[in-house]
Amino acid sequence: MGAGLPVVDVSPGVDYDKLQMEFVQRNPEMMLKPRENKDGESGADDFQFENIARLFAEVSAPTVDRTVELARQWRPDAILYTPVHGTGPLAAAAVGVPAVMQGFNMVLGSEMTSAIAQSMSAHYERHGLASDDVKPAAILDVAPPSLRRQYDEQDNVWPIRYLPYNGGGVLPQWLNEPRKRPRVTVTLGSTVPGVGGIDLLQRFVEAAGTMDAEFVLALAGADLSRLGELPDNLVPVDWVPLAQLLAVSDAVIHHGGGGSTLTAAAAGVPQYVVPHGGDNFVHAKLIRARGLGDELTPSGLDEQRLAELIEDGPMRAAAREVAAEMQVQDTFSALIPKLVDLTR
């Protein structure tokens, strides 16, 4: 609704934040903390595939019946869904139309659709459907070409350009003013500050305060008092759309979520990833392997690493290369004829 689109509420009254938090509380390993090695880099490579499939099967469950009912009434020719939403493929099967996966990160493919379907087998059975071997008819892959995952040869993959959309917001006046020194945006997404807290940034605050650079703290309204008195070059902001903020930034430090990683890649800025859970660790390693940033733990955000982030070196060159790759990719509109053909 915030985007101005008409919607049908298929799960009225459901508190999804509470639903997810209760699942994480029952499965505390879901919210991982960065682990340190001797160099201050993350030693983790955690992607809890089965737990994530179970989580999103549980999150999808309240939407099943009303979505299927709506699909049977409206009779769409295709259903687009995200990789972690289990109701899209189920509703598509219920009305016999193609289910098309719209990607939002560089990690998930048809195997997540199948795993979530298996966890939702009881819901499939209630609607007279089989949950075995549920797969998308096509996958819209938003990953930059040089960061694209290896898909199963049976997957029907359609590469498209990632177009950042971070919601609306009133832009502060200083966003339009020329910056007098390097600017680094720091964000932990919308989930990590509430679940994991921001204490992990204490070492960063100490290091950043010594730098001749500006650090914009976009931390989803988190209580910054826990970080003590902030140096003058650390600037907290209310909600600002990330794409607009990165357009006037020289680098970014973030948690490794799909939106943050891809928005930074589209902006062509170097990025340090401090991963926490879910797909964060995989994105961090992809960023490091491509050379447009690095994977660090909080203690790794020291003066030396921050200086490397804002310099005009190999990371910045690689970031510009990836942004250029993305600019020449087809947008969604170019694939509409293929989508129409899929429905025939």
Side-chain angles (χ1 to χ4, degrees):
M1 290 185 291
L5 299 173
V7 300
V8 175
D9 188 353
V10 294
S11 53
V14 176
D15 185 337
Y16 282 98
D17 288 338
K18 180 180 178 182
L19 195 63
Q20 293 187 67
M21 186 62 68
E22 289 175 346
F23 185 92
V24 171
Q25 288 171 347
R26 296 195 305 272
N27 301 271
E29 68 279 7
M30 284 289 292
M31 184 49 67
L32 300 167
K33 296 292 184 182
R35 294 200 292 268
E36 304 268 354
N37 65 22
K38 61 182 177 61
D39 298 318
E41 298 167 352
S42 171
D45 188 16
D46 300 275
F47 182 65
Q48 299 181 26
F49 185 89
E50 293 182 1
N51 276 342
I52 290 170
R54 289 195 300 111
L55 165 63
F56 285 102
E58 191 164 318
V59 169
S60 299
T63 70
V64 168
D65 291 342
R66 288 187 180 224
T67 302
V68 170
E69 179 184 4
L70 176 65
R72 286 176 170 154
Q73 291 171 348
W74 190 41
R75 302 297 303 181
D77 295 303
I79 292 179
L80 271 69
Y81 72 99
T82 66
V84 293
H85 200 268
T87 299
L90 192 158
V95 295
V97 299
V100 178
M101 176 191 289
Q102 167 66 65
F104 61 77
N105 63 14
M106 299 180 289
V107 177
L108 300 174
S110 61
E111 70 282 355
M112 182 57 75
T113 292
S114 300
I116 293 175
Q118 289 301 306
S119 292
M120 297 180 67
S121 58
H123 298 283
Y124 276 82
E125 291 168 5
R126 281 194 302 105
H127 289 279
L129 304 168
S131 61
D132 297 334
D133 197 30
V134 173
K135 280 189 140 186
I139 298 173
L140 304 181
D141 184 2
V142 294
S146 63
L147 291 171
R148 184 163 297 129
R149 56 169 283 164
Q150 294 294 316
Y151 282 95
D152 187 299
E153 61 181 14
Q154 296 179 344
D155 286 334
N156 183 21
V157 182
W158 299 352
I160 62 170
R161 188 193 312 173
Y162 176 80
L163 297 175
Y165 174 74
N166 313 118
V170 177
L171 303 182
Q173 179 60 37
W174 56 261
L175 224 60
N176 299 315
E177 298 171 355
R179 53 191 183 276
K180 299 177 180 178
R181 54 183 175 176
R183 177 182 293 146
V184 178
T185 289
V186 182
T187 177
L188 297 176
S190 57
T191 300
V192 172
V195 177
I198 61 170
D199 292 357
L200 61 95
L201 291 177
Q202 193 63 58
R203 176 68 186 94
F204 156 76
V205 169
E206 296 169 1
T210 70
M211 307 290 296
D212 184 20
E214 178 185 72
F215 295 85
V216 179
L217 306 183
L219 297 173
D223 180 9
L224 300 183
S225 66
R226 299 182 62 87
L227 298 175
E229 185 175 352
L230 296 176
D232 291 341
N233 64 330
L234 271 66
V235 182
V237 296
D238 292 327
W239 172 259
V240 178
L242 185 60
Q244 279 66 43
L245 186 52
L246 293 186
V248 291
S249 297
D250 297 287
V252 61
I253 299 168
H254 63 91
H255 64 302
S260 299
T261 304
L262 286 165
T263 300
V269 296
Q271 43 188 305
Y272 279 165
V273 183
V274 184
H276 276 68
D279 56 6
N280 300 177
F281 292 98
V282 183
H283 287 145
K285 284 177 170 47
L286 289 169
I287 292 303
R288 166 183 265 190
R290 180 61 179 83
L292 67 159
D294 209 347
E295 172 189 7
L296 298 174
T297 57
S299 68
L301 294 171
D302 57 24
E303 291 87 343
Q304 178 183 343
R305 299 313 303 271
L306 292 178
E308 293 170 356
L309 181 64
I310 59 179
E311 70 182 15
D312 191 11
M315 285 193 298
R316 190 167 305 281
R320 289 170 177 157
E321 290 171 4
V322 171
E325 291 176 9
M326 298 173 76
Q327 281 297 314
V328 297
Q329 288 185 274
D330 285 337
T331 60
F332 180 82
S333 60
L335 297 181
I336 289 177
K338 290 181 67 174
L339 188 60
V340 171
D341 290 341
L342 195 66
T343 65
R344 290 173 177 161

